[in-house]
Amino acid sequence: MYITSGIESFNKLMGVSFFKRKHSFKNFPFIFGISNLVLYLVSVLISAYQSRHDVTKFIYCVATFGFGCQATMKVYSFVITRRYIIDLYENNLQFYRDMNRQSDMVKRVLCDNASLTYIVIKATVLIYLLLVVTTMTIPSLSAIFMETRILPFGFVIAGLHADTLESYIWNYGIQVIMAVYYWIITVGSDITTIYNLLTACGQLDALMAIIEELNQQLENNECPEKIQEKIIEIIGQHQYHRSYLQQLVDFLNPYHFVTVGSTVPTMVISVLGLVLLDWYPGAAIVFLGSIQMFYICFLGTSLEIKVMITDALTLKVGAIHWNKLSVRDMKHMNLVLAMTQTPKVLAVATLPLNITAYLKIHKFIYSLIMMLQNTKD
């Protein structure tokens, strides 16, 4: 409850709620943020058209357009279709209420998982804040030492031109506001996703603890009624976990498809400008896109770690005292054993989202850089 209330407090900065069904979007932060997003997309398109004869400026506009696509998808996924997020939250809430009736060992496992979730969320907020501050600060500092003034994003606000110092300050100030809103919506969506994924890991940890309790009951030769009751509980918890994980994967797969589909072209275009045109701001965009890709793949890897935990769960089920089970109980546990071998993973089309995919993408970009450099030479 402490973690979710913290996420909700953060989401209030952009006037939304991910965990309350009754929420009015008729508030200033939300309307102001959406207006900034619309202004951002319109300004990028207009600037790209106006700069069609200047290759460097045109590439800059096209590259930064990918961030607008990401923000649009985040608004769609976490605002327009937020009922799916609310369903996941209510399932989590019911799960933790049910776990309050469990033993101290199970509660301790869930507390450890909650502590890990809290640490990862805090680190995510700080890392994203550092990225935004760096991205917005470097262009302003470079403008002091260079003759040409560089804006953080590759466009000018519609109706404003950055030819004079006054117009540059206006453009820079508005882009800072846009960057802050982008930081808020990115952090809000990502920490909610982290919370849901790590909670799914906690569900499996708790299930393994319950199986360990079953094994202890078998060692102590508990009565068949208690053994059967514990097995029914294990089956129920495992069915709940699979249903929850399927719901989470169905929500995240299209979201990550659009996010990765806009980030990778943005990085490739930035590499083109960096190598062929000595467009150095492209390096900052590549770095920012790389960090975002890392977080997406990190989340996918956390789910693959779940697959590893599932292997551990298979070993845990296989290590119980099967010889002390009745034929009926053996059939029930054999069903659990079979279901643990079909895990769910995050994917974009047919590519699983994990650190391996992250390395493949960067290997492709590095190969592209070398090919372009050789061609240029």
Side-chain angles (χ1 to χ4, degrees):
M1 294 302 298
Y2 179 76
I3 293 174
T4 53
S5 63
I7 295 175
E8 278 292 84
S9 298
F10 189 87
N11 291 334
K12 286 181 181 179
L13 297 174
M14 56 179 171
V16 302
S17 172
F18 294 164
F19 303 139
K20 295 179 181 178
R21 291 195 178 273
K22 294 183 179 180
H23 176 75
S24 175
F25 290 96
K26 296 178 180 179
N27 58 76
F28 176 77
F30 180 74
I31 296 175
F32 180 76
I34 294 298
S35 300
N36 272 279
L37 177 59
V38 173
L39 178 61
Y40 173 87
L41 294 173
V42 172
S43 298
V44 169
L45 294 176
I46 293 176
S47 297
Y49 176 77
Q50 293 175 344
S51 305
R52 61 189 183 279
H53 300 301
D54 189 329
V55 179
T56 301
K57 292 183 179 180
F58 180 79
I59 289 179
Y60 206 174
C61 292
V62 174
T64 54
F65 183 73
F67 298 114
C69 295
Q70 292 182 33
T72 303
M73 187 59 188
K74 292 177 189 297
V75 171
Y76 174 80
S77 299
F78 289 89
V79 176
I80 298 177
T81 61
R82 70 189 187 97
R83 63 184 182 276
Y84 299 114
I85 293 294
I86 296 174
D87 289 341
L88 290 169
Y89 166 72
E90 292 177 348
N91 289 339
N92 285 334
L93 198 61
Q94 186 60 45
F95 169 75
Y96 283 113
R97 286 172 177 168
D98 294 340
M99 289 298 103
N100 278 331
R101 298 191 293 267
Q102 292 291 337
S103 64
D104 291 339
M105 181 175 70
V106 176
K107 292 179 182 179
R108 185 167 59 251
V109 167
L110 290 176
C111 284
D112 292 341
N113 177 262
S115 299
L116 175 62
T117 304
Y118 176 78
I119 293 172
V120 174
I121 287 176
K122 280 287 188 180
T124 302
V125 175
L126 294 176
I127 290 173
Y128 277 20
L129 178 61
L130 179 62
L131 286 174
V132 170
V133 171
T134 302
T135 304
M136 303 306 295
T137 302
I138 291 178
S140 62
L141 294 177
S142 63
I144 299 175
F145 302 100
M146 298 176 60
E147 296 182 359
T148 58
R149 302 183 183 97
I150 301 176
L151 288 168
F153 300 110
F155 65 93
V156 293
I157 306 301
L160 293 175
H161 297 282
D163 299 334
T164 64
L165 178 60
E166 182 181 359
S167 60
Y168 173 82
I169 293 174
W170 273 103
N171 277 282
Y172 183 83
I174 295 175
Q175 290 189 12
V176 167
I177 295 174
M178 292 179 176
V180 171
Y181 180 77
Y182 181 78
W183 170 70
I184 293 173
I185 192 173
T186 300
V187 170
S189 59
D190 283 359
I191 62 178
T192 303
T193 302
I194 290 171
Y195 163 71
N196 287 323
L197 279 171
L198 294 184
T199 297
C201 291
Q203 294 169 5
L204 269 178
D205 290 336
L207 180 59
M208 293 176 64
I210 296 174
I211 294 174
E212 182 63 30
E213 290 180 345
L214 170 65
N215 203 29
Q216 292 176 0
Q217 289 180 345
L218 291 172
E219 288 182 357
N220 298 332
N221 296 316
E222 295 279 352
C223 62
E225 289 77 12
K226 289 186 177 180
I227 297 296
Q228 189 175 12
E229 181 180 345
K230 182 65 70 173
I231 290 176
I232 292 174
E233 181 183 354
I234 291 171
I235 293 175
Q237 289 295 334
H238 192 252
Q239 288 176 338
Y240 166 80
H241 166 73
R242 288 184 61 84
S243 174
Y244 173 85
L245 198 55
Q246 183 63 58
Q247 188 179 6
L248 180 59
V249 169
D250 290 342
F251 170 76
L252 288 179
N253 281 351
Y255 166 71
H256 283 153
F257 178 82
V258 174
T259 303
V260 174
S262 60
T263 302
V264 174
T266 295
M267 296 172 65
V268 171
I269 293 172
S270 300
V271 167
L272 289 173
L274 178 63
V275 176
L276 297 180
L277 303 173
D278 294 329
W279 178 57
Y280 297 108
I285 294 181
V286 171
F287 178 72
L288 183 59
S290 177
I291 295 297
Q292 290 184 323
M293 283 294 301
F294 175 79
Y295 251 94
I296 293 173
C297 294
F298 166 77
L299 295 174
T301 301
S302 69
L303 195 57
E304 282 205 348
I305 292 175
K306 187 179 302 304
V307 175
M308 296 171 62
I309 296 176
T310 303
D311 292 338
L313 179 61
T314 302
L315 296 175
K316 180 72 72 173
V317 174
I320 65 173
H321 297 284
W322 288 82
N323 59 311
K324 295 186 177 182
L325 292 173
S326 64
V327 175
R328 179 182 178 182
D329 292 340
M330 282 184 182
K331 291 181 179 179
H332 288 161
M333 292 306 296
N334 191 48
L335 176 63
V336 175
L337 189 63
M339 295 300 292
T340 59
Q341 300 176 28
T342 56
K344 309 292 182 182
V345 295
L346 291 178
V348 172
T350 58
L351 178 66
L353 274 179
N354 50 30
I355 296 299
T356 301
Y358 176 80
L359 295 176
K360 286 182 178 178
I361 292 172
H362 283 71
K363 183 179 179 180
F364 165 75
I365 294 176
Y366 176 77
S367 300
L368 179 62
I369 292 174
M370 293 296 100
M371 182 186 68
L372 293 174
Q373 188 65 48
N374 292 334
T375 303
K376 184 178 178 180
D377 294 340

